[in-house]
Amino acid sequence: MNELTKTVAEFSVMAAIALSGIGELSASSNPAQAATAPDANKPAIKANPLKPPAQGSIPVAFLVSEGAVIIDFCGPWEVFQDVNIPGRQDPPFRLYTVSETTAPIHASGGMKIVPDYTLANAPAPKVIVIPAQSQPSEAVLEWIRKSTKNTDVTMSVCTGAFVLAKTGLLSGKAATTFHAAFRPFAMQFPDIQLKRGARFVEDGNLATAGGLSSGIVAQKTAYDMEYQGQGWMNPDSNQIYAAERISTAEHPLCPVCQMDVDRATAPKSVYKGKTYYFCSQGDKEQFDATPDKFATLDKL
């Protein structure tokens, strides 16, 4: 393991699947080390070692567009920027946002963000973070494909996995995503091995994480950030989401995404005498286009 792998480490994902392969920050002097000793029997995080540059920082690109979910990219951003390597003046990572244009975008909740770079002029990244966001254009997908040829880690967070999957880079590989998106992800990308209940999955220089806060930190960084959860250390710690939920008359679930719905206000459709409720009009339209496919799944 190289110097950065020894120092920066065990970064999980939402934040940092990417970081899980970057090493173990100050492990030898880690105040959190003792607290995590009982977890030694947990599956080890598969590292994808990064070689630190002699000078400067590792470039980390956060790909954003309209609707980018704040916690999906701000969580990893905070983790990356909180990392430090004793004895080095340069921060380990250089963080920046990338979008199709530098026109302001609106993230979840309406936060306005002005991207640092466009796809055309962004510095070549060694790490790419892809949060949940709007549907990607072909230009965005091509930028991910091209950039990933030279990245150490290209990672998605939450339903950012759909963006990464659309590049074709995950074909034939294993991946995970937000638990409420398991069903549509499996249907849309049958050539990808969906790992339900995985907190994060790494395959080569590609990594996918579960939703939102599915692990945010590394041991010393976690200590510094006062983050005491330890689930991020175990890639299989999301097993509560492994089994599909069952829709009942009392507690109906959207047949498309399996999220809870309110029968009083939810859009609905009747198919073969049964009423189905949806969490959004878009899911209703998707169901109505191929109802038999979803109705069959709902009986499993």
Side-chain angles (χ1 to χ4, degrees):
M1 296 176 71
N2 59 43
E3 181 63 22
L4 189 56
T5 301
K6 293 177 180 177
T7 46
V8 186
E10 285 183 308
F11 272 23
S12 96
V13 204
M14 157 198 115
I17 262 200
L19 305 188
S20 72
I22 301 179
E24 191 163 37
L25 177 61
S26 301
S28 60
S29 60
N30 189 348
Q33 193 78 11
T36 59
D39 296 322
N41 61 338
K42 289 184 177 180
I45 295 175
K46 181 182 177 182
N48 180 26
L50 304 184
K51 183 177 181 179
Q55 293 181 330
S57 307
I58 295 173
V60 182
F62 288 74
L63 181 65
V64 294
S65 66
E66 282 294 313
V69 177
I70 292 173
I71 194 172
D72 286 359
F73 64 90
C74 287
W77 184 289
E78 180 68 25
V79 174
F80 277 111
Q81 76 93 28
D82 280 354
V83 175
N84 66 82
I85 299 178
R88 294 193 60 170
Q89 294 185 345
D90 295 325
F93 303 103
R94 175 193 174 194
L95 313 179
Y96 53 92
T97 51
V98 180
S99 192
E100 285 202 71
T101 73
T102 53
I105 65 165
H106 295 87
S108 59
M111 177 186 285
K112 184 182 290 186
I113 298 174
V114 179
D116 295 314
Y117 297 100
T118 68
L119 303 176
N121 64 16
K126 295 301 289 182
V127 177
I128 299 175
V129 180
I130 306 171
Q133 56 193 285
S134 61
Q135 292 293 325
S137 67
E138 180 53 39
V140 167
L141 297 179
E142 182 56 30
W143 182 84
I144 297 172
R145 295 186 195 105
K146 181 179 179 181
S147 299
T148 297
K149 292 178 180 179
N150 298 303
T151 61
D152 290 290
V153 181
T154 294
M155 62 171 283
S156 66
V157 178
C158 196
T159 56
F162 283 76
V163 177
L164 184 55
K166 288 177 180 178
T167 66
L169 295 173
L170 287 174
S171 295
K173 299 180 181 293
T176 193
T177 186
F178 179 46
H179 68 272
F182 285 162
R183 178 174 288 185
F185 188 87
M187 294 176 68
Q188 190 169 344
F189 306 106
D191 60 337
I192 298 174
Q193 180 190 351
L194 174 63
K195 300 198 72 171
R196 296 172 178 268
R199 194 174 193 90
F200 57 89
V201 177
E202 297 183 81
D203 196 329
N205 70 333
L206 301 177
T208 53
L212 305 174
S213 60
S214 59
I216 293 185
V217 286
Q219 290 182 0
K220 184 178 183 299
T221 308
Y223 180 86
D224 292 341
M225 295 172 64
E226 299 188 16
Y227 183 80
Q228 298 179 37
Q230 296 179 19
W232 60 269
M233 299 176 68
N234 180 359
D236 296 319
S237 61
N238 272 13
Q239 288 301 305
I240 191 173
Y241 303 119
E244 285 206 44
R245 301 173 67 195
I246 299 175
S247 181
T248 66
E250 295 77 18
H251 300 286
L253 304 176
C254 173
V256 176
C257 70
Q258 291 194 299
M259 292 186 71
D260 294 293
V261 295
D262 181 353
R263 288 183 298 177
T265 59
K268 61 184 179 181
S269 294
V270 177
Y271 179 67
K272 293 185 176 180
K274 181 178 178 179
T275 301
Y276 294 87
Y277 299 88
F278 307 92
C279 60
S280 70
Q281 184 62 32
D283 280 358
K284 170 179 162 50
E285 293 172 0
Q286 190 173 348
F287 176 92
D288 290 344
T290 54
D292 189 60
K293 177 170 64 176
F294 291 101
T296 300
L297 286 173
D298 207 43
K299 296 175 183 177
L300 298 178

